[in-house]
Amino acid sequence: MGYIDCINITMNDKDKKLNVLLNQRTISRSLPISLLRTREHVMVPIRPILSKIGISEQKWRILRVLGEDGPIEQSTIARKVCLLLPSLTRILHKMEQDGQIIRWQDKTDRRRTLVNNTEIGNDIINSQLPATTKIYKTLEKKLGTRKLEKLLDLLEEIQNIKF
């Protein structure tokens, strides 16, 4: 279930065959679509929190990563928050202007730029921690701790697959 059979269609006007992929997943069982739908569902209660404090989802992810791992290099941030480096650079510039982050050149390797939260950035995270923790705890309660941990483990395993 969730698959369609392979079919061959002959195009009379161009005399070409179109092969539809064998065992192609239907959209309802497509992993990329399921991941997107799940992300959107999980973000529903979080978006109003971010909107209320005037922080975009991208800025929130950056602040969270810096809160856990900072100071770190810009390319590492881009990878961890799933942003292209040019987009990240633009967002970091605005966050720096707003006093949320600070950037500086690495003293040992001047090609590297390091980034960290300022007190303002940390205050943003800490002020929203009770609300975001409550959302996570609700999800954990409804899904179960073991299932949620298993899901996170499986997602991490998928991320480590080399194509």
Side-chain angles (χ1 to χ4, degrees):
M1 194 161 128
Y3 291 95
I4 58 173
D5 294 325
C6 178
I7 58 173
N8 290 319
I9 302 170
T10 302
M11 299 175 67
N12 294 330
D13 56 339
K14 294 184 181 178
D15 199 32
K16 293 182 180 179
K17 287 188 176 181
L18 173 65
N19 291 316
V20 177
L21 297 173
L22 179 63
N23 294 329
Q24 181 179 357
R25 288 273 187 182
T26 61
I27 200 76
S28 66
R29 298 295 294 171
S30 163
L31 180 60
I33 294 295
S34 292
L35 291 170
L36 286 169
R37 285 184 186 137
T38 302
R39 180 191 183 280
E40 289 304 308
H41 183 73
V42 170
M43 288 304 296
V44 166
I46 296 172
R47 286 191 179 113
I49 295 167
L50 300 180
S51 178
K52 187 171 129 182
I53 61 171
I55 294 290
S56 68
E57 292 176 36
Q58 294 87 352
K59 288 180 181 179
W60 178 252
R61 293 194 313 258
I62 292 165
L63 290 171
R64 288 285 315 274
V65 164
L66 291 173
E68 290 179 21
D69 300 339
I72 55 176
E73 190 177 7
Q74 286 186 174
S75 59
T76 303
I77 298 168
R79 182 178 44 78
K80 288 187 173 210
V81 301
C82 301
L83 287 173
L84 297 174
L85 197 53
S87 297
L88 175 71
T89 302
R90 179 183 47 79
I91 294 167
L92 289 178
H93 179 70
K94 177 69 172 131
M95 292 176 77
E96 191 171 33
Q97 287 179 334
D98 293 342
Q100 298 164 348
I101 58 110
I102 186 168
R103 294 188 284 183
W104 68 94
Q105 276 188 329
D106 186 332
K107 290 178 184 175
T108 59
D109 185 350
R110 299 186 59 81
R111 296 171 295 176
R112 294 176 29 157
T113 300
L114 298 172
V115 185
N116 204 6
N117 284 344
T118 61
E119 189 174 328
I120 293 170
N122 285 328
D123 287 347
I124 291 169
I125 294 169
N126 293 332
S127 70
Q128 302 312 308
L129 202 55
T132 57
T133 300
K134 183 179 178 183
I135 292 165
Y136 186 85
K137 290 291 183 188
T138 299
L139 181 62
E140 186 177 43
K141 183 179 178 185
K142 292 186 183 234
L143 193 58
T145 303
R146 289 204 332 225
K147 275 187 178 179
L148 184 56
E149 288 300 317
K150 181 67 175 172
L151 174 61
L152 293 171
D153 290 343
L154 289 170
L155 291 171
E156 190 173 318
E157 193 174 322
I158 290 171
Q159 292 170 43
N160 291 324
I161 293 174
K162 305 287 186 228
F163 290 100

